Amino acid sequence: MSGADYRGGAAFVDGAFVPAADARIPLLDTGFTRSDATYDVVGVWGGGFFRLEDHLDRFERGCRELRLTLPLSRDQIREVLLELVRRAGLRDAYVEMICTRGVDTEGVRDPRRFVNRFYAFAIPFVWLLPPEQRESGMRAVITRTVQRISPGAVDPTVKNFHWGDLTRGLYEAFDRDARYPILLDAAGNVTEGAGYNVFALVEGRLLTPVAGALEGITRRTILELAAAEGIPAEAVELPADVFRRGTELFATTTAGGVMPITELDGEPVGAGGVGPVTARLRERYWELHSDPRYTTPVAHAAAARAPGA
Amino acid sequence: MSGADYRGGAAFVDGAFVPAADARIPLLDTGFTRSDATYDVVGVWGGGFFRLEDHLDRFERGCRELRLTLPLSRDQIREVLLELVRRAGLRDAYVEMICTRGVDTEGVRDPRRFVNRFYAFAIPFVWLLPPEQRESGMRAVITRTVQRISPGAVDPTVKNFHWGDLTRGLYEAFDRDARYPILLDAAGNVTEGAGYNVFALVEGRLLTPVAGALEGITRRTILELAAAEGIPAEAVELPADVFRRGTELFATTTAGGVMPITELDGEPVGAGGVGPVTARLRERYWELHSDPRYTTPVAHAAAARAPGA
């Protein structure tokens, strides 16, 4: 610990803990220069990780798909993540783990020979929709200038840093006096936004895109909660014009949970404000954060810290 | 200089020169975590940069397209690049300049507010095709499992680190006992490979894809040289089956120049070996590297170094 200030967040790089703001990776890591990496983000809420094992499952699957070999075991990764939150002293945190292909130390341009790397950090919880806007909701647009990278090129179910399309969407949203882009695929079906899945309540059915998007853990939680609440919900091919007919729209993400979309392309959604289905699912979503079946308390592992450390 | 060992290459990070192997960037730079960046690579050959101003033009255009603001002027960037090669003591070098969106220091997730960053490095010249294989040529495949990211999602003319599709292609090539993938677009037209443009000599005409690929400086040089040599050359929509009919195929890149493709999908190309048009253009390409109209000598700027520095 030795006096390092972790209050702005903690990071884990090359086997050592450092303040997040000081954390640095090699300029020549192909995780940067080729975006050859996968990652995952877990939320910590009220001192507990939410669905940590599901995030670890997805992260490990992503590594397998990209043929990356994690230098740490799953138990070691879990312990690093818990330790990051402890060091940062955070009750609510945004925790990210990353595996990169690593550096071409031999100059052979053969990624099979690089030593893969693991990085992680925990920072104060990131609200994709600021809390003061939780009732006014998201001003979203369906982008016209950019489409989502196709799964035939980059698999969106392997969480990745290929955000060029999403960033273009973000700038288009800004240009159109909005903040949250939603991208279509080449066929005109809705995919996802810049860090969030989307849902539409259409004629009483809750619909979310079945392809072209990350299979979000929050998305999955909402599908499970909808089933439990008796709301018909389904992952489908979702053309933009069907999505537009939604009487309620919302987005889901670890960085904020269920976020009502109250404006789309400059028009109010449905009756305006936060719809009853959205509100109910949001409430149930946060309730789950105190359900021990879904949470991994950070304090739990504190006993592992040596006295005086 | 103070004793730092730049022999493996030199880098420029946050305003300071460091050995390339020691160069590090912030873990939280969105150039990494969102691949929100553009870059360019220039070759240095026999002590001179090749077409440096053309590379700087393309790099500056890329920054404008992504709405990045370079923290250094063009003159400052040029001077940094020259100094990197001088420090590394390299006659032949691979020199890369990068501009990233930077760090979200305020936690606002609004990339318009981030301070953009500039990084650069010079390392020993990278041969995409090892010199000992310059006559045996490239064993290439047209990929079956992955297609190129579409320009509607990410503009390939703005040089970027979105290599997920190219890396998938690379692994497919390895799996098929080859080394060099060539990716198609969704319509089945040839685009480019993992760091190189491609050309096919079809019925006496030299063809290269008109869209879906980087507008490479080496590609441009070859189109100019073909014109000068009286070889009909054109950028066209290039279906895979037309490409396959090429009696000569080659790839072009700063990291190696003109590289003959002698095998495609396990079959020999044309009459086998390096074809006469490929050989001629390759020869002319390297001749240009001693043409003062195309070169910027590194030694030239050495006078700018203060005595004793």
Side-chain angles (χ1 to χ4, degrees):
Chain A
M1 309 291 279
S2 63
D5 185 352
Y6 290 105
R7 279 172 302 180
F12 180 83
V13 175
D14 295 343
F17 292 94
V18 290
D22 299 341
R24 292 190 159 240
I25 66 164
L27 173 64
L28 301 180
D29 189 334
T30 54
F32 172 53
T33 60
R34 297 285 180 257
S35 205
D36 197 357
T38 186
Y39 76 111
D40 216 294
V41 173
V42 204
V44 171
W45 199 253
F49 279 86
F50 185 65
R51 301 194 81 157
L52 175 57
E53 299 307 318
D54 293 320
H55 285 278
L56 290 171
D57 283 346
R58 185 172 64 182
F59 181 56
E60 289 184 335
R61 173 185 168 271
C63 291
R64 282 194 303 273
E65 291 287 324
L66 297 184
R67 303 200 217 176
L68 292 165
T69 304
L70 279 164
L72 273 65
S73 71
R74 183 168 173 135
D75 285 345
Q76 288 172 321
I77 291 171
R78 190 187 301 105
E79 185 48 40
V80 164
L81 302 182
L82 288 161
E83 180 63 22
L84 284 167
V85 178
R86 282 197 293 267
R87 293 214 179 197
L90 293 166
R91 297 279 301 164
D92 307 321
Y94 175 101
V95 182
E96 183 162 326
M97 63 198 102
I98 304 166
C99 184
T100 69
R101 188 77 59 190
V103 178
D104 183 4
T105 49
E106 302 170 329
V108 292
R109 291 178 81 107
D110 183 345
R112 294 172 298 181
R113 298 177 59 162
F114 306 170
V115 176
N116 305 160
R117 287 171 176 250
F118 175 80
Y119 308 120
F121 61 90
I123 56 176
F125 191 80
V126 172
W127 287 100
L128 213 137
L129 178 72
E132 63 275 18
Q133 293 170 35
R134 69 190 293 277
E135 295 312 313
S136 55
M138 300 165 85
R139 294 208 313 281
V141 296
I142 293 181
T143 59
R144 298 164 184 160
T145 61
V146 61
Q147 61 185 221
R148 187 75 180 100
I149 294 173
S150 119
V154 179
D155 180 354
T157 71
V158 174
K159 203 165 163 70
N160 63 76
F161 292 143
H162 289 58
W163 271 57
D165 53 345
L166 303 175
T167 301
R168 274 170 77 177
L170 210 48
Y171 274 89
E172 180 185 330
F174 292 141
D175 290 345
R176 293 170 59 191
D177 193 29
R179 184 71 190 251
Y180 300 95
I182 297 167
L183 277 67
L184 307 180
D185 64 18
N189 293 310
V190 171
T191 62
E192 63 188 327
Y196 39 90
N197 290 113
V198 292
F199 284 81
L201 186 71
V202 181
E203 291 156 19
R205 288 165 68 223
L206 191 60
L207 306 177
T208 191
V210 67
L214 178 72
E215 293 172 355
I217 305 286
T218 311
R219 170 180 175 276
R220 186 197 306 176
T221 305
I222 293 306
L223 290 171
E224 292 166 359
L225 286 174
E229 296 284 307
I231 302 162
E234 208 177 344
V236 297
E237 207 170 81
L238 187 51
D241 60 333
V242 174
F243 185 78
R244 284 182 203 286
R245 292 212 310 270
T247 49
E248 296 186 32
L249 303 177
F250 61 85
T252 59
T253 172
T254 289
V258 177
M259 309 180 298
I261 298 170
T262 49
E263 187 184 298
L264 185 65
D265 291 339
E267 301 292 330
V269 173
V274 181
V277 171
T278 306
R280 176 69 186 140
L281 290 169
R282 182 169 65 180
E283 189 189 336
R284 292 285 294 119
Y285 175 74
W286 287 108
E287 282 170 11
L288 281 192
H289 284 64
S290 50
D291 183 331
R293 288 173 303 167
Y294 291 92
T295 53
T296 307
V298 175
H300 226 233
R305 199 192 289 175
Chain B
M1 312 290 279
S2 65
D5 184 352
Y6 291 104
R7 279 172 301 179
F12 180 83
V13 175
D14 294 343
F17 292 94
V18 289
D22 299 340
R24 294 192 158 238
I25 66 164
L27 173 63
L28 301 180
D29 189 334
T30 54
F32 172 52
T33 61
R34 297 285 180 257
S35 204
D36 198 358
T38 186
Y39 76 110
D40 217 292
V41 174
V42 204
V44 172
W45 198 252
F49 279 86
F50 184 66
R51 302 195 79 156
L52 175 57
E53 299 307 317
D54 293 319
H55 285 279
L56 289 171
D57 284 346
R58 186 173 65 182
F59 181 55
E60 289 184 336
R61 173 186 168 272
C63 291
R64 283 195 302 275
E65 292 286 326
L66 297 185
R67 304 201 218 174
L68 292 165
T69 305
L70 279 164
L72 273 68
S73 71
R74 181 167 173 135
D75 285 347
Q76 289 172 319
I77 291 171
R78 190 187 300 104
E79 186 47 42
V80 164
L81 302 183
L82 288 161
E83 180 62 22
L84 283 168
V85 178
R86 281 197 295 266
R87 294 212 178 197
L90 293 166
R91 297 281 300 163
D92 308 321
Y94 175 102
V95 181
E96 183 161 326
M97 63 197 100
I98 304 166
C99 184
T100 68
R101 189 77 59 189
V103 178
D104 182 4
T105 49
E106 302 170 330
V108 293
R109 290 179 82 107
D110 183 345
R112 294 172 300 182
R113 299 176 61 162
F114 306 171
V115 177
N116 305 159
R117 287 172 175 251
F118 175 80
Y119 307 119
F121 60 90
I123 57 177
F125 191 79
V126 171
W127 287 99
L128 213 137
L129 179 71
E132 62 274 18
Q133 293 169 31
R134 71 190 291 278
E135 296 312 314
S136 54
M138 300 165 85
R139 292 206 318 277
V141 295
I142 293 182
T143 58
R144 299 164 184 160
T145 61
V146 60
Q147 61 185 221
R148 187 78 179 98
I149 293 173
S150 121
V154 179
D155 181 354
T157 72
V158 174
K159 204 166 162 71
N160 64 75
F161 292 143
H162 289 58
W163 270 57
D165 52 346
L166 303 175
T167 301
R168 274 170 77 177
L170 210 48
Y171 275 90
E172 179 184 330
F174 292 140
D175 290 343
R176 293 171 58 191
D177 194 28
R179 184 69 189 251
Y180 299 94
I182 297 168
L183 275 67
L184 307 180
D185 64 17
N189 293 310
V190 171
T191 63
E192 63 189 325
Y196 39 90
N197 290 115
V198 292
F199 286 81
L201 186 71
V202 181
E203 290 156 19
R205 288 164 69 223
L206 191 59
L207 306 177
T208 191
V210 69
L214 179 74
E215 292 172 355
I217 306 287
T218 311
R219 170 181 176 273
R220 186 197 306 176
T221 305
I222 292 306
L223 289 171
E224 292 166 0
L225 286 173
E229 297 283 306
I231 302 163
E234 207 177 344
V236 296
E237 205 170 82
L238 188 51
D241 61 331
V242 175
F243 184 79
R244 285 182 202 283
R245 292 211 310 268
T247 48
E248 296 186 30
L249 303 178
F250 61 84
T252 59
T253 173
T254 289
V258 177
M259 309 180 298
I261 298 170
T262 49
E263 185 185 299
L264 185 66
D265 292 338
E267 301 291 328
V269 173
V274 181
V277 171
T278 305
R280 177 68 185 142
L281 290 169
R282 181 170 66 179
E283 187 188 338
R284 291 285 294 117
Y285 174 75
W286 287 108
E287 281 171 12
L288 281 192
H289 285 64
S290 50
D291 183 332
R293 290 173 301 167
Y294 291 92
T295 54
T296 307
V298 175
H300 223 235
R305 198 191 292 177

